């Protein structure tokens, strides 16, 4: 996060001091392609969901909101905005107009699959994850949660990882250009 902040400060300095034509694009969590279903297996969200399906359970986190936007929407938004002269010297927050809770996202997925995941307490879900062998495909995700076991905390505050940013001005500009963010309900997971 700090390196992004430093890089952005350098970009703004180049704009202010040298008049370089720049624009800054700040996407939300980059999610699945809503047309093809393609996704990055390296992304935390994908690994988290994969872990839930592997464990056949998901943590009950109704108040934890995700700000994920489809990769195809984010890429079209960046390209469309970058081709406009009036974008120079601006920063654009590109996120989904509606956040969805972790529970809500999993319920959307369950409607599209024949899976029967159990909703369990977060502390129980952590215990299930902790019992997994680190050599499995869950190993990298398991390592992210290990500090929670050592500190005996029983919930990670996902909201601190990604604050909700107001992107209304960017969204309005994109809508005028004919770009609307696809609904998560219609996504091809």
């Amino acid at each position: 996060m700090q390196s992004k902040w430093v890089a952005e400060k350098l970009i703004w300095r180049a704009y202010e001091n040298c008049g370089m034509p720049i624009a800054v694009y700040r996407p939300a969590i980059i999610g699945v392609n809503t047309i093809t279903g393609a996704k990055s297996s390296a992304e935390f969200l994908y690994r988290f969901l994969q872990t839930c399906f592997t464990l056949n359970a998901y943590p009950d986190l109704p108040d934890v909101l995700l700000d994920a936007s489809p990769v195809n929407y984010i890429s079209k938004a960046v390209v469309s905005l970058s081709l406009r002269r009036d974008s120079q010297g601006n920063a654009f927050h590109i996120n989904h107009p509606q956040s969805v809770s972790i529970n809500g996202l999993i319920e959307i997925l369950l409607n599209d699959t024949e899976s029967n995941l159990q909703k369990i307490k977060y502390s129980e879900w952590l215990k299930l994850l902790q019992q997994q062998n680190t050599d499995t495909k869950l190993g990298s995700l398991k390592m992210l949660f290990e500090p929670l076991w050592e500190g005996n905390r029983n919930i990670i505050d996902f909201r601190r990882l990604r604050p909700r940013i107001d992107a209304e001005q960017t969204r309005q500009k994109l809508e005028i250009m004919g770009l609307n963010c696809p609904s998560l309900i219609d996504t091809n997971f």
Side-chain angles (χ1 to χ4, degrees):
M1 217 39 150
Q2 290 177 348
S3 61
K4 287 181 184 180
W5 182 83
V6 170
E8 190 170 315
K9 288 294 181 190
L10 292 171
I11 289 169
W12 285 117
R13 188 172 293 158
Y15 174 71
E16 292 164 359
N17 296 339
C18 305
M20 290 183 72
I22 63 100
V24 174
Y25 304 95
R26 300 177 185 139
I29 296 170
I30 299 175
V32 66
N33 184 309
T34 57
I35 298 166
T36 66
K39 56 202 146 292
S40 170
S41 60
E43 291 290 328
F44 171 79
L45 181 58
Y46 175 75
R47 287 185 184 192
F48 174 76
L49 293 172
Q50 184 181 39
T51 299
C52 291
F53 280 95
T54 301
L55 296 175
N56 203 31
Y58 67 98
D60 185 16
L61 298 170
D63 298 327
V64 178
L65 299 178
L66 298 172
D67 186 8
S69 292
V71 65
N72 49 310
Y73 172 72
I74 291 173
S75 60
K76 283 180 185 178
V78 169
V79 169
S80 297
L81 289 166
S82 69
L83 295 174
R84 297 178 55 100
R85 278 201 184 285
D86 63 347
S87 293
Q88 293 178 11
N90 289 296
F92 299 97
H93 298 280
I94 305 169
N95 61 12
H96 202 284
Q98 295 177 315
S99 293
V100 64
S101 69
I102 287 179
N103 288 12
L105 179 61
I106 291 175
E107 288 163 11
I108 291 168
L109 290 172
L110 291 177
N111 287 337
D112 289 346
T113 66
E114 306 227 350
S115 201
N116 210 7
L117 299 183
Q118 284 184 299
K119 185 186 330 182
I120 60 177
K121 289 182 180 178
Y122 186 74
S123 56
E124 293 172 21
W125 185 83
L126 279 177
K127 286 177 189 171
L128 273 178
L129 181 61
Q130 191 174 22
Q131 294 167 1
Q132 300 300 309
N133 184 339
T134 307
D135 296 335
T136 68
K137 60 184 173 185
L138 303 180
S140 59
L141 186 73
K142 182 179 171 183
M143 290 173 13
L144 289 174
F145 288 90
E146 284 178 349
L148 299 175
W149 301 317
E150 294 166 8
N152 293 322
R153 291 173 34 199
N154 60 2
I155 189 155
I156 185 171
D157 190 353
F158 288 94
R159 293 165 291 199
R160 298 181 94 189
L161 301 175
R162 192 78 183 188
R164 181 74 178 153
I165 304 294
D166 182 9
E168 192 57 33
Q169 289 181 345
T170 302
R171 197 168 18 263
Q172 287 175 0
K173 191 170 208 155
L174 291 169
E175 285 176 3
I176 290 169
M177 295 165 53
L179 274 173
N180 294 299
C181 192
S183 167
L184 285 174
I185 295 170
D186 300 328
T187 299
N188 178 11
F189 285 98

